[in-house]
Amino acid sequence: MYSTVTTAILHGIDGMIVQAEADVSDGLPVFEMVGFLAAEVKESKNRVRTALRNCGHKLPARRITVNLSPASVKKSGNGFDLPITVAIMAAMGIIDDAKLKNTLVIGELGLSGSILPVDGILPIVLKAYESGIEVFVIPKENQSEALLVEGIKVVAVATLMDVYNYFQGDFHTDYERAVCLEEVYPQLDFSDVHGQTMAKRACEIAVSGMHNLLMIGPAGAGKTMLAKRIPGILPPMNRPERMEVSKIYSICGQMHKVDHLVKERPFRAPHHTISAQGLAGGGAVPKPGEVTMAHRGVLFLDELPEFDRNTIELLRQPLEDKQIVLSRASGSYTYPADFLLVCAMNPCKCGFYPDMEKCRCTKTSIRNYLSKISQPLLDRMDLCVEAKQMTYQDLTQKQREESSAQIRERVCAVQQVQQERFENETWYFNSQIPVGRLEEYCELGAKEKQYMERMFEKLDLSARAYHKLLKVARTIADLDQSKAITVRHLTEAVCFRSLDKKYWEG
């Protein structure tokens, strides 16, 4: 007899429907599996055979053939055990295959017949639901994650006997649909940071227009402290953004037993020893890296020169394209990577350059340290700000600093202006304006053009740096509630653009 069961596989950030076909026929007793299978999928036949026997259902001494289609896509992961088992049980006549219509089955089997959770349930359920699937037979530990998708019926099973009982009509699952709770913001607040007025201003501009930010200063100046508070001034995520981030966390196995979508924007701060694969993603079975985990949030690279140069150079492509493409022999995988890049670094090994009264580094040492950051990567940093050494007066002042809530209010207002401005476009923020449309959205008057011509020659700007300077000026004008970009706005943008010259050409 023949039967087929619908299941799914992860492909990038989305699910892909796969059919598990089983045929039990006369012939020499053999258990064959085909369909471009990874090693862990080929091992399924041993788990299936043992689990069935331990649940009282022995495989017959007949020819059993299992095919996972489409054959052009490599099948990997641990979720095929259960659909293969159900397909064989249906082919053997143990369960009624009529009940498999519009049903997706996924899960890993233990040898005892227990059903173990799998990663990526959320994107798999979303894709299957869009394809017309109505019932989902999934591991019990994945139940709360699957219920984040509204309008579906979830059958959460803990053992193979639960699956058998369900298809015999003798199993019921009780659940409460997940409800998103009130938005919860991080406890870290900008009011805790004393001084550093310029750095705070740079953080506000960076978040308002989603501009990349580089902070330079001595150790203990508060660079990391500022970076950790940036997610608190980002606007709250809407539901599509929450769903998108939750899908990524689901693929990485961080959504088990979670009864709500991810509510807070991601803040990822990988250590400088991270590998290129850890940052960009990849592996034999491709998984998202830190650039994807930071999607819709902040990627913070502390001690930037300590990162391997080849590793951080990988950021150049996703910073431009807002996605990263991993090509493997089994196919290409595209992961989103739309994040705000925030970097922090000391100006030299000891941290005191250019204060030569304190700095003990040689000129060669300073040059070698700063040369770890390439000019192409520097050009992609829209804002460069110096976090100066804190004074005793800064630390002991009693003046109440501005809170994250106050800054967030202004940021939300500016981003609302951008949403209205780019309502009919394919981008959302000033930092994303294409070069061909800059003249339209960043129009300059005669005085402003003369000023920019002088700055272009004086600072020896590259074309990319010039365009980014205009985009930053547009954001500063929006913060000032000005429709036109003035010399004052350009001057402030130049101040944040010219700081790199102080160090790399000083």
Side-chain angles (χ1 to χ4, degrees):
M1 292 181 62
Y2 166 85
S3 71
T4 181
V5 171
T6 300
T7 185
I9 187 176
L10 287 172
H11 190 81
I13 194 178
D14 295 312
M16 174 184 289
I17 298 298
V18 172
Q19 299 297 328
E21 301 174 296
D23 180 78
V24 179
S25 58
D26 295 331
L28 292 174
V30 65
F31 191 161
E32 290 185 326
M33 292 181 59
V34 295
F36 199 7
L37 312 178
E40 66 271 20
V41 181
K42 292 178 182 178
E43 295 168 354
S44 290
K45 60 182 178 182
N46 296 319
R47 293 190 291 270
V48 170
R49 179 185 288 110
T50 306
L52 278 171
R53 186 183 67 243
N54 289 332
C55 291
H57 300 286
K58 289 186 179 181
L59 290 178
R62 302 176 70 186
R63 184 179 186 86
I64 300 173
T65 305
V66 173
N67 176 47
L68 300 178
S69 63
S72 58
V73 178
K74 189 170 185 178
K75 317 304 184 306
S76 60
N78 60 343
F80 289 109
D81 294 0
L82 188 57
I84 289 172
T85 305
V86 171
I88 292 174
M89 292 172 72
M92 292 166 55
I94 297 174
I95 62 176
D96 184 3
D97 61 355
K99 292 187 177 181
L100 295 174
K101 186 178 180 181
N102 292 330
T103 299
L104 182 138
V105 182
I106 192 169
E108 179 183 353
L109 279 178
L111 297 183
S112 64
S114 60
I115 298 176
L116 308 178
V118 297
D119 295 337
I121 281 293
L122 183 57
I124 284 173
V125 170
L126 275 172
K127 178 64 177 179
Y129 182 57
E130 292 170 359
S131 302
I133 302 297
E134 300 172 354
V135 182
F136 296 83
V137 180
I138 62 169
K140 191 171 182 63
E141 291 186 42
N142 291 126
Q143 177 181 5
S144 57
E145 183 181 342
L147 289 174
L148 296 174
V149 181
E150 299 178 354
I152 66 173
K153 178 184 177 182
V154 172
V155 180
V157 289
T159 67
L160 196 53
M161 287 305 299
D162 290 342
V163 178
Y164 173 76
N165 292 334
Y166 166 71
F167 285 106
Q168 294 298 322
D170 192 26
F171 178 81
H172 301 281
T173 180
D174 297 322
Y175 59 82
E176 293 182 4
R177 187 157 298 277
V179 178
C180 281
L181 306 178
E182 290 294 323
E183 187 73 25
V184 178
Y185 286 100
Q187 297 299 314
L188 300 177
D189 199 283
F190 266 87
S191 61
D192 301 330
V193 183
H194 295 285
Q196 301 296 4
T197 305
M198 284 293 290
K200 288 181 181 178
R201 172 68 172 172
C203 290
E204 182 176 345
I205 295 171
V207 171
S208 296
M210 296 302 287
H211 301 285
N212 300 321
L213 171 65
L214 173 64
M215 293 184 282
I216 309 175
K223 304 184 294 295
T224 303
M225 193 175 184
L226 285 164
K228 288 182 176 180
R229 283 155 177 76
I230 287 178
I233 62 174
L234 282 164
M237 290 192 290
N238 54 35
R239 184 171 176 80
E241 288 177 328
R242 287 177 175 178
M243 184 64 75
E244 197 173 14
V245 174
S246 296
K247 285 166 64 177
I248 295 169
Y249 277 64
S250 174
I251 294 169
C252 296
Q254 299 185 23
M255 290 288 288
H256 291 174
K257 299 182 180 179
V258 175
D259 63 352
H260 57 78
L261 297 175
V262 174
K263 299 187 293 295
E264 297 177 5
R265 290 189 180 271
F267 179 82
R268 307 293 299 184
H271 192 261
H272 61 77
T273 57
I274 190 172
S275 66
Q277 182 176 306
L279 187 64
V285 179
K287 286 283 187 180
E290 290 292 334
V291 296
T292 300
M293 294 291 288
H295 183 63
R296 301 299 183 190
V298 177
L299 177 64
F300 176 49
L301 303 184
D302 202 2
E303 305 296 345
L304 184 63
E306 300 298 334
F307 284 78
D308 180 76
R309 178 163 181 166
N310 292 331
T311 298
I312 59 175
E313 289 299 312
L314 290 173
L315 293 171
R316 287 158 58 175
Q317 183 259 334
L319 284 175
E320 295 292 331
D321 299 338
K322 305 302 179 184
Q323 64 180 22
I324 187 161
V325 180
L326 306 176
S327 297
R328 298 291 182 270
S330 58
S332 294
Y333 303 82
T334 302
Y335 293 107
D338 189 358
F339 54 86
L340 174 64
L341 178 62
V342 179
C343 300
M345 60 177 286
N346 296 333
C348 64
K349 280 286 187 181
C350 73
F352 292 108
Y353 178 78
D355 186 352
M356 301 311 295
E357 293 183 2
K358 295 181 179 180
C359 183
R360 295 294 179 264
C361 300
T362 64
K363 289 186 177 180
T364 302
S365 173
I366 295 170
R367 190 184 309 113
N368 291 340
Y369 185 77
L370 294 176
S371 66
K372 293 180 179 179
I373 313 301
S374 68
Q375 190 60 45
L377 184 61
L378 275 175
D379 278 350
R380 286 169 170 81
M381 307 306 296
D382 305 46
L383 300 162
C384 294
V385 64
E386 186 174 15
K388 296 184 177 296
Q389 182 69 49
M390 298 290 289
T391 65
Y392 178 78
Q393 288 73 23
D394 291 330
L395 294 174
T396 57
Q397 67 177 353
K398 295 184 178 180
Q399 179 182 352
R400 180 67 178 173
E401 299 286 347
E402 214 173 17
S403 69
S404 292
Q406 292 172 298
I407 300 174
R408 189 194 307 122
E409 186 176 350
R410 294 197 296 270
V411 169
C412 289
V414 171
Q415 291 202 358
Q416 180 62 37
V417 169
Q418 293 173 72
Q419 289 178 13
E420 294 173 0
R421 176 186 297 140
F422 305 132
E423 183 179 4
N424 299 320
E425 307 291 357
T426 57
W427 63 89
Y428 307 99
F429 302 106
N430 291 331
S431 62
Q432 300 171 344
I433 300 175
V435 174
R437 306 291 295 278
L438 277 174
E439 189 173 346
E440 176 183 350
Y441 290 110
C442 301
E443 185 178 2
L444 302 180
K447 291 182 179 179
E448 287 74 24
K449 288 181 179 179
Q450 292 176 2
Y451 175 80
M452 286 307 300
E453 184 177 358
R454 294 198 306 271
M455 290 300 102
F456 187 87
E457 296 175 357
K458 181 179 179 179
L459 299 177
D460 190 24
L461 297 174
S462 66
R464 180 185 288 111
Y466 171 73
H467 294 146
K468 285 188 175 294
L469 196 153
L470 291 179
K471 297 174 187 178
V472 171
R474 176 68 271 169
T475 300
I476 294 172
D478 290 341
L479 281 165
D480 203 25
Q481 299 181 5
S482 171
K483 291 186 177 181
I485 299 175
T486 66
V487 172
R488 180 163 59 86
H489 303 139
L490 292 168
T491 302
E492 186 175 2
V494 167
C495 289
F496 289 121
R497 182 68 253 178
S498 60
L499 182 64
D500 61 333
K501 306 295 181 183
K502 174 180 177 179
Y503 293 96
W504 275 267
E505 297 182 6

